[in-house]
Amino acid sequence: QFLPIFTSAMAALRLSYLPFQAMAETTRFLFRYGGVKYQDEVVWGHVFSERRREGEYPFDKVPVLYIDGMAVAQSGSIARFAAKLAACYPADPARCALNDAVFEMAQELCTINPMINCYTGREFEQVKRWYFGHLPQHLANLDAQLEAATRSEGSFFGGSGPSHADFNVYHHLANARLVEPECIPESYKLCHWMELMESLPSMKQYLEERPQLVGIGTDPGLVDKAGRFLSQRDPEGRAILVDGCFIFE
């Protein structure tokens, strides 16, 4: 049902992203689910600016995944690569197209990422009203797609097991719940599906380990397992995330 793990799994991988719970999170889920080894690099401030000035980022932004030194940009492309390594990218072209459609729908929910990681005060409240005013229709559509995907087999968009679509939808809806915990109607299949995603052993471990996003709407930043608060104001500009803790080299 899913593409097998292929030789790129042996490549040296480095994921580079801002100190956000945002556009790199789906890839982190997928790497953890597939047991794929990689270096999780956090960059911001002067390090990010210097790299962008030197042309290191293909489209002048992150996330970027370095595969044996080759820089690959765009969160969707990176997540699909990770899904193939994790053996949860559908092999059947039709099934793949359906899951890609769901994946892309989740990408359209991405305003939640800057809302909770960047915006504060009045701007946060304005974006929040707009986002949650439009979310119900998107949730209804996603719930209908999940119902259709699970009608014949399994409990996931991917069928019997999660695909890249499942991880991307989960990321965006989990972020939305940080702002509005009851935003998904209890009657929706999506509610139980969220619990299923969180009960996957790899997801449970990762969600318990990852730095927690705090200060949403006021002073957002990440707090690691050691209690270290990190935001774009910090002067270091670079850290490696290891076992839920920021390591400054």
Side-chain angles (χ1 to χ4, degrees):
Q1 184 180 4
F2 297 106
L3 288 176
I5 296 176
F6 51 86
T7 54
S8 290
M10 305 305 295
L13 303 175
R14 172 165 55 99
L15 180 64
S16 187
Y17 191 52
L18 300 164
F20 291 169
Q21 187 174 299
M23 300 304 288
E25 210 64 14
T26 298
T27 294
R28 289 176 173 134
F29 291 158
L30 287 160
F31 279 158
R32 182 61 67 94
Y33 179 74
V36 178
K37 302 295 184 183
Y38 72 104
Q39 184 181 66
D40 198 344
E41 181 186 49
V42 184
V43 294
W44 69 96
H46 68 92
V47 174
F48 172 82
S49 297
E50 288 165 7
R51 291 184 183 181
R52 184 169 61 179
R53 185 171 57 251
E54 292 169 0
E56 186 169 329
Y57 302 138
F59 302 114
D60 299 325
K61 59 184 180 180
V62 290
V64 165
L65 179 68
Y66 299 90
I67 308 170
D68 283 339
M70 177 182 69
V72 176
Q74 300 290 35
S75 62
S77 296
I78 296 169
R80 287 180 175 89
F81 173 82
K84 293 168 186 176
L85 294 192
C88 60
Y89 194 75
D92 177 74
R95 172 78 68 162
C96 185
L98 284 170
N99 278 264
D100 269 341
V102 173
F103 181 97
E104 290 300 323
M105 182 61 248
Q107 293 288 78
E108 294 184 27
L109 302 178
C110 67
T111 302
I112 192 64
N113 293 316
M115 185 204 304
I116 65 175
N117 288 278
C118 303
Y119 299 153
T120 60
R122 184 178 179 182
E123 186 176 28
F124 171 81
E125 293 299 333
Q126 289 174 336
V127 176
K128 175 184 172 182
R129 283 194 296 272
W130 174 87
Y131 188 84
F132 287 97
H134 289 80
L135 186 61
Q137 186 58 51
H138 297 312
L139 291 174
N141 290 338
L142 285 169
D143 198 63
Q145 290 297 307
L146 181 60
E147 184 66 41
T150 58
R151 194 166 294 144
S152 59
E153 64 167 332
S155 303
F156 302 95
F157 289 105
S160 59
S163 74
H164 60 307
D166 288 276
F167 290 103
N168 204 35
V169 173
Y170 174 81
H171 160 65
H172 288 91
L173 297 190
N175 269 6
R177 278 181 157 180
L178 292 177
V179 181
E180 294 288 351
E182 307 300 323
C183 64
I184 304 175
E186 289 185 6
S187 60
Y188 278 17
K189 196 178 186 73
L190 281 170
C191 268
H192 177 60
W193 170 85
M194 291 286 286
E195 294 175 359
L196 285 177
M197 290 296 294
E198 291 167 351
S199 69
L200 294 170
S202 64
M203 285 289 282
K204 186 175 187 298
Q205 180 189 48
Y206 177 75
L207 293 173
E208 291 173 351
E209 175 186 294
R210 72 175 175 178
Q212 298 302 300
L213 179 61
V214 300
I216 295 172
T218 56
D219 184 22
L222 297 175
V223 176
D224 71 7
K225 295 292 287 184
R228 171 64 149 87
F229 176 83
L230 178 64
S231 75
Q232 292 195 89
R233 294 193 307 273
D234 288 66
E236 295 90 350
R238 179 180 183 270
I240 302 297
L241 188 57
V242 179
D243 297 330
C245 294
F246 297 115
I247 308 299
F248 299 91
E249 298 178 342

